[in-house]
Structures are given as C-alpha cells and as structure tokens.
Amino acid sequence: MATLLIQINMEGERSLNQESIRRLTDEEWTKIKHLLPGTEPRKSSGRPAINSRAVLDAIYWIEDSGERWLYLPSHFPPQQTCYTKYLKWKREGILDQIHALLERNA
C-alpha cells in the first residue's frame, strides 16, 4: 500500500503528493472491466455514461488515503457520483469480486 502525504497549506486547503496516487494498470483493468457497468458505449440518449475506471480509481484513493469523500481530489469524477457508485457496487458485491480478482485486501 502506498503512503500518502497530505499537506494543509496556510489557507486550510489540502494538497496530496501526486506521486503516491495509485491507479489501476491496464492489465488490472482488463481483468475486471467486465464486472463494471459503463464500459460499453450507451445506445440511448440522456446523461453520458460515467467512466467506471476513474470511479474505481477514486474508490481506491479513498481506501488507500483514509480520507473522507469530501476531500476527493478534483481530477476524479464528482464526489457524489463516486460515493453513489461505491455504495451500489459494495451492496451488489462487485467490489468484493474486484478485490478477489486483483488480490487486494477487501
């Protein structure tokens, strides 16, 4: 597990050591992408599909950093979207399947 360095500047804003952010590798993504919705293009109109890989990266950032969803960095999808997907995937057992496939601690 990577160690994250979070600093608070004089204005009270948090900054994260960007080198410590772990993202899914292409190999890991290939193993698990079939489990996640939104990996296929939508055929209907409406809201665009959310990038499931980016949401999963955000979930792992939260798990690895121990931070609250409120402090999710802005380069990830919106915090509420990521949190909603986290709850849904956790409830449906998708995260457990992903952890098993990637041999991460659940």
Side-chain angles (χ1 to χ4, degrees):
M1 180 184 308
T3 302
L4 299 175
L5 175 62
I6 299 174
Q7 299 173 334
I8 300 177
N9 64 19
M10 297 297 284
E11 291 79 32
E13 298 171 343
R14 292 168 177 233
S15 65
L16 178 68
N17 177 358
Q18 295 295 317
E19 294 174 9
S20 62
I21 296 176
R22 185 189 178 289
R23 301 207 183 247
L24 288 171
T25 64
D26 290 338
E27 182 181 329
E28 289 173 324
W29 177 245
T30 301
K31 287 182 185 178
I32 62 163
K33 69 181 177 181
H34 68 279
L35 297 171
L36 298 169
T39 55
E40 299 297 323
R42 284 192 178 183
K43 295 179 181 175
S44 64
S45 60
R47 290 185 186 198
I50 192 70
N51 181 333
S52 294
R53 185 174 182 170
V55 171
L56 192 57
D57 281 336
I59 291 169
Y60 281 142
W61 185 89
I62 292 293
E63 289 179 349
D64 291 346
S65 69
E67 278 292 338
R68 296 172 50 202
W69 287 99
L70 176 66
Y71 299 118
L72 186 66
S74 60
H75 62 271
F76 289 116
Q79 167 259 328
Q80 187 61 41
T81 300
C82 292
Y83 181 66
T84 301
K85 292 291 185 186
Y86 167 77
L87 292 176
K88 182 179 189 298
W89 295 346
K90 184 77 170 170
R91 184 176 51 249
E92 293 175 356
I94 293 172
L95 288 180
D96 291 334
Q97 292 175 44
I98 289 170
H99 286 305
L101 285 172
L102 298 181
E103 299 177 0
R104 285 180 171 247
N105 295 330

